[in-house]
Amino acid sequence: MCGIAGYMHADPDKQIDPDQLVAMAAIQYHRGPDGFGYHVMQDRGVGFSHARLTIIDLDENRGKQPFVSEDGNLMLAMNGELYDYKRIRADLTSRGARFRTKSDSEMVLHLYPQKGLEDMLPYLRGEFGISLYDRERDRLILIRDRFGVKPLYWTEQNGQFVFGSELKVLFAHPDVQRRFNAKGVYHQLMQTVVPGSTAFDNIHQVKPGHAVIVERAHGKFKIRDFKYWDMDFPTMEERGPQLEDDYDEQEYIEGVRRELLEAVQLRLEADVPVACYLSGGIDSCAILGMSAATQQSPVKAFTIGFDDADYDESAIAREMAESVGADQDIMMLNAGHLYDNFEETLWHAERTIYNTLGVAKLLMSRHVNQAGYKVVVTGEGSDELFSGYPAFRMDLFRHGLDTLPEAERAVMQQMLAESNKLFSGAMLAEDEYDDPALDKLVGFTPSCLQPWLSASEHVAPLLHPSLRKEVEGYSPGTAIAEALDGDMLEGRHPLDKAQYVWIKTMLEGQILTWGGDRVDMANSMEARPPFLDHHLAEYAARLPVTMRIRGRTEKYVLREAMRGLLPKVLYEREKFAFMAPPAHTDPKKWAAMKALADRYLSDEAIEQAGILDPAGVRALFEKHEDPETSASTQVQLDAVINHMIGVQVLHKHFVQTDVPAQARAKAKELGWAA
């Protein structure tokens, strides 16, 4: 688990600056504090660099990247982990391959020439961002894992193609412009980002399950993107008897147990100790239970606790830890202190956040790092595979239960709203919201997007007049719909459609970003989510609807598969989304947020940045504090306020700050030099 960087000239005769590559590695030192490396092919005008976190093959020199193939044709820099690599390495060795390291990454240098790009990709199992330069074909390839656990960004500017694991890596290159995009800011303020986009002009993400191929011709780049994997649910026709509940329930329970156990076992493979993140949900509890059963020694389990009883899950987590003999470490957080680390979290997340859970997770990863751990297994992805979120039940009730009487459906919807009242305005919209473009593509507007699409109604008045003019008539729902693959939605069950849209928007753009990699790697912590193993995901996609949601029970098949290791209270518990308390629920937290707002949302600060409109900002605060404003709307406006502060902080970090100078200074401080 590391950070990668590099750039290539459109003119292969132009020289690469090694000091620039080192600076690009240094600014992501947090991703790889155990050493750095760089390699330049000057006669090809291309160079890579790498900041290393040692987890597999601890030999400092042997595992140092970038790797270059023995014949000098291939150059590789990789971030992440490839699982099942020992078996693949043994197979390749038996066919004549000669490995120089024990690193999982090196197998790419042997698979690519033997299999070719497209036939190599199915062998890559795990979480990764890969950069590979093929000298013979003069092409650079960027590959991102299937769900987007690992970040990977790129841009083409001034005759150069620049890439890296984080935005700040690109911004460390002096020829890369650091300028906000009006539509990007719009989406930052409403929470949901268009897949593949960022808040900045001409800065792109490699999409999950995609590869970007860069070639040169006549002094220009030819860039193409292709999808190698997607969450492909069966069509309604292919499901057949499943829709009538004519299937062997036990077969699916056993299948989920089998696939999850293999995914967990693979992710416990490391040359350093592996711990677990543990909340009070069945996801992380299942991972802990399987990890404890697999390992000989007690598993270390790290838990976040909040001082607000409505949001604290530590009691259930403690019961789970005790049941499997785990060595538990509970870090209790005072909600009022979370804003103390808000700015730092945004520097790492590189996007706005609606809830301070991202801050809490950054503090937890720091705590885990200080306890001497570099690797944790986590529960992310379970809700996406097994329909765990209230939005999925809402969509099923509204669009997928054709045989249910209207009166009974209304009762179920009411029960759903009551059981998730803490999250109304964030997890669920206060009122149903329909977007024409999403209705046309999906058949309905997925409930997961509704609170944020409705929040977009607050956005235009918040924007500086110049930006507001640029987004006049803009439809965020249309932009999101156009970024989705309609072929993956056509003919699918409504629940499958809802899960697919969440995976492409909320999972990649939120949960795996400011709730995952970015705040874990901020403290050199590798987080491994077994539920996002693509073999398990492909199996889960075939699950009948009633194996996912049965009555009021979500994640039914997972509960049954893990029933033997879950405490009774957890097995019977309804889904409770893990999040930090919203600001308005705690006077101390509200005061802390207001103190930050006084700094970043003053008229002077707003005028200096040129992103927001002070009148619009004042009006939104007045609406939030209006006694007539409902609690659900306050939750939503809490999020918008966090986003407003967020875009101002992002401006300070990445536009106002001289990032290239910052990167060079960091390299000098570390003693990293070409």
Side-chain angles (χ1 to χ4, degrees):
M1 197 65 67
C2 310
I4 64 174
Y7 71 102
M8 178 169 72
H9 291 293
D11 178 356
D13 293 328
K14 284 193 173 182
Q15 296 292 289
I16 296 292
D17 180 1
D19 289 325
Q20 182 59 58
L21 291 173
V22 174
M24 292 166 74
I27 202 167
Q28 56 182 329
Y29 166 82
H30 49 279
R31 299 191 72 89
D34 296 332
F36 80 102
Y38 72 92
H39 188 83
V40 174
M41 293 185 175
Q42 289 291 19
D43 62 333
R44 284 289 191 263
V46 60
F48 290 179
S49 62
H50 187 264
R52 188 182 184 211
L53 181 65
T54 53
I55 290 172
I56 302 292
D57 192 351
L58 304 185
D59 185 296
E60 180 179 346
N61 295 314
R62 190 170 59 194
K64 186 176 181 179
Q65 294 189 39
F67 292 146
V68 178
S69 61
E70 194 169 351
D71 63 3
N73 184 55
L74 302 176
M75 177 168 58
L76 169 76
M78 179 183 142
N79 164 37
E81 299 292 349
L82 300 175
Y83 304 114
D84 201 20
Y85 69 95
K86 289 182 178 178
R87 182 189 62 81
I88 296 172
R89 183 175 64 199
D91 178 73
L92 290 167
T93 300
S94 73
R95 300 172 189 276
R98 293 295 175 262
F99 285 77
R100 291 177 287 173
T101 77
K102 294 293 184 180
S103 168
D104 55 306
S105 304
E106 191 189 354
M107 74 181 196
V108 174
L109 291 182
H110 299 279
L111 282 169
Y112 175 79
Q114 184 180 113
K115 304 287 185 182
L117 175 60
E118 294 193 31
D119 289 341
M120 171 187 76
L121 294 169
Y123 288 85
L124 306 183
R125 182 177 188 176
E127 308 93 41
F128 49 82
I130 296 172
S131 59
L132 181 68
Y133 177 69
D134 182 335
R135 183 187 185 94
E136 183 180 331
R137 292 181 175 85
D138 190 24
R139 67 176 184 178
L140 188 155
I141 304 164
L142 301 179
I143 311 168
R144 193 175 180 197
D145 67 72
R146 294 165 180 81
F147 286 100
V149 180
K150 295 287 105 187
L152 189 53
Y153 299 92
W154 64 272
T155 186
E156 176 198 1
Q157 296 188 31
N158 299 317
Q160 294 168 96
F161 183 92
V162 186
F163 69 88
S165 293
E166 298 188 2
L167 287 173
K168 60 183 70 71
V169 178
L170 276 61
F171 293 156
H173 195 295
D175 289 337
V176 174
Q177 289 186 323
R178 309 186 309 279
R179 185 175 59 207
F180 278 115
N181 175 281
K183 294 175 182 177
V185 172
Y186 191 109
H187 282 273
Q188 294 290 312
L189 289 169
M190 64 166 276
Q191 169 64 22
T192 305
V193 175
V194 176
S197 72
T198 72
F200 297 91
D201 263 346
N202 198 26
I203 307 290
H204 314 279
Q205 296 189 62
V206 179
K207 294 179 182 179
H210 282 240
V212 171
I213 299 175
V214 187
E215 298 172 317
R216 293 182 283 206
H218 311 296
K220 294 183 178 180
F221 291 115
K222 294 170 58 180
I223 302 171
R224 62 186 176 95
D225 172 293
F226 81 91
K227 180 171 69 173
Y228 69 87
W229 189 88
D230 210 342
M231 190 68 176
D232 190 359
F233 290 94
T235 64
M236 296 276 276
E237 189 175 290
E238 290 166 339
R239 287 199 177 279
Q242 286 187 358
L243 297 174
E244 305 298 327
D245 292 350
D246 181 17
Y247 55 80
D248 182 351
E249 177 177 309
Q250 196 60 35
E251 176 187 338
Y252 288 110
I253 292 171
E254 294 293 338
V256 167
R257 185 184 294 126
R258 178 186 66 248
E259 297 293 337
L260 179 57
L261 177 58
E262 180 178 84
V264 170
Q265 288 177 321
L266 287 171
R267 281 159 182 78
L268 293 175
E269 173 71 37
D271 294 337
V272 296
V274 180
C276 291
Y277 277 158
L278 176 65
S279 69
I282 68 171
D283 317 326
S284 62
C285 288
I287 298 301
L288 175 65
M290 286 195 157
S291 299
T294 299
Q295 297 189 169
Q296 296 294 96
S297 56
V299 177
K300 186 76 173 181
F302 292 93
T303 298
I304 296 174
F306 293 112
D307 57 355
D308 186 327
D310 284 339
Y311 294 84
D312 182 47
E313 298 185 299
S314 60
I316 294 178
R318 185 181 293 109
E319 184 173 340
M320 180 66 202
E322 290 173 354
S323 74
V324 298
D327 177 13
Q328 189 180 25
D329 183 330
I330 300 177
M331 183 181 72
M332 295 300 296
L333 292 175
N334 183 320
H337 292 162
L338 292 176
Y339 278 97
D340 296 345
N341 299 90
F342 194 79
E343 295 171 83
E344 179 189 3
T345 301
L346 290 175
W347 188 80
H348 287 288
E350 299 179 333
R351 63 147 297 169
T352 64
I353 62 178
Y354 83 90
N355 183 271
T356 49
L357 175 61
V359 183
K361 291 200 71 178
L362 178 132
L363 295 175
M364 171 57 86
S365 68
R366 179 172 301 156
H367 181 74
V368 175
N369 176 282
Q370 291 170 350
Y373 286 85
K374 291 182 176 182
V375 185
V376 291
V377 285
T378 75
E380 278 86 9
S382 169
D383 292 307
E384 285 72 17
L385 299 188
F386 304 113
S387 302
Y389 291 113
F392 296 148
R393 279 182 285 170
M394 184 67 81
D395 288 335
L396 179 61
F397 296 152
R398 284 175 174 166
H399 310 290
L401 298 180
D402 297 336
T403 59
L404 193 69
E406 186 67 32
E408 185 178 345
R409 188 185 311 180
V411 169
M412 284 191 168
Q413 288 176 334
Q414 183 61 33
M415 287 192 302
L416 179 69
E418 289 172 357
S419 66
N420 290 280
K421 61 184 178 181
L422 284 175
F423 313 114
S424 181
M427 297 295 288
L428 293 172
E430 184 174 11
D431 300 304
E432 189 168 0
Y433 185 100
D434 291 313
D435 181 89
L438 288 162
D439 284 351
K440 182 178 180 180
L441 179 71
V442 183
F444 56 92
T445 300
S447 294
C448 68
L449 296 181
Q450 290 187 29
W452 310 120
L453 289 169
S454 63
S456 71
E457 296 177 353
H458 302 293
V459 170
L462 298 176
L463 292 171
H464 187 278
S466 62
L467 295 182
R468 192 184 308 148
K469 186 176 181 180
E470 289 186 52
V471 296
E472 192 173 329
Y474 177 68
S475 167
T478 299
I480 293 170
E482 289 175 348
L484 299 173
D485 187 342
D487 290 343
M488 294 290 104
L489 293 161
E490 187 176 359
R492 269 63 171 194
H493 189 278
L495 183 59
D496 297 339
K497 293 178 178 182
Q499 287 179 227
Y500 182 83
V501 172
W502 179 289
I503 286 168
K504 294 298 172 182
T505 55
M506 307 301 288
L507 175 64
E508 188 272 340
Q510 171 182 309
I511 293 168
L512 297 178
T513 304
W514 61 258
D517 171 88
R518 309 307 287 279
V519 290
D520 290 315
M521 289 301 286
N523 293 295
S524 312
M525 280 294 311
E526 173 177 301
R528 300 175 172 182
F531 284 109
L532 294 180
D533 183 279
H534 75 280
H535 291 257
L536 172 60
E538 288 168 355
Y539 186 86
R542 303 197 301 272
L543 289 170
V545 169
T546 51
M547 290 301 293
R548 288 173 272 167
I549 298 177
R550 181 164 298 186
R552 288 189 61 167
T553 304
E554 83 292 331
K555 296 189 284 195
Y556 173 79
V557 66
L558 180 63
R559 289 174 188 268
E560 296 304 311
M562 298 292 105
R563 187 173 188 171
L565 57 79
L566 295 176
K568 185 173 185 291
V569 65
L570 187 58
Y571 169 76
E572 295 177 349
R573 185 191 190 209
E574 191 175 358
K575 165 69 182 177
F576 186 93
F578 184 52
M579 61 188 290
H584 78 273
T585 63
D586 183 326
K588 291 182 179 178
K589 191 172 186 183
W590 179 253
M593 183 278 292
K594 285 282 294 211
L596 203 58
D598 288 343
R599 285 173 49 205
Y600 282 102
L601 297 178
S602 67
D603 288 358
E604 183 182 357
I606 289 173
E607 183 180 350
Q608 191 276 328
I611 304 168
L612 302 176
D613 185 325
V617 172
R618 286 194 296 272
L620 189 131
F621 271 100
E622 289 169 4
K623 182 176 180 62
H624 187 288
E625 297 176 10
D626 186 337
E628 298 298 315
T629 299
S630 68
S632 294
T633 300
Q634 281 188 313
V635 170
Q636 189 179 77
L637 296 181
D638 269 10
V640 178
I641 291 169
N642 283 334
H643 294 318
M644 291 192 302
I645 297 171
V647 295
Q648 291 287 98
V649 173
L650 293 180
H651 178 271
K652 174 188 172 184
H653 284 329
F654 304 119
V655 178
Q656 185 177 340
T657 298
D658 185 342
V659 184
Q662 184 183 34
R664 291 192 298 271
K666 186 64 178 179
K668 184 176 181 180
E669 174 195 328
L670 296 170
W672 289 8

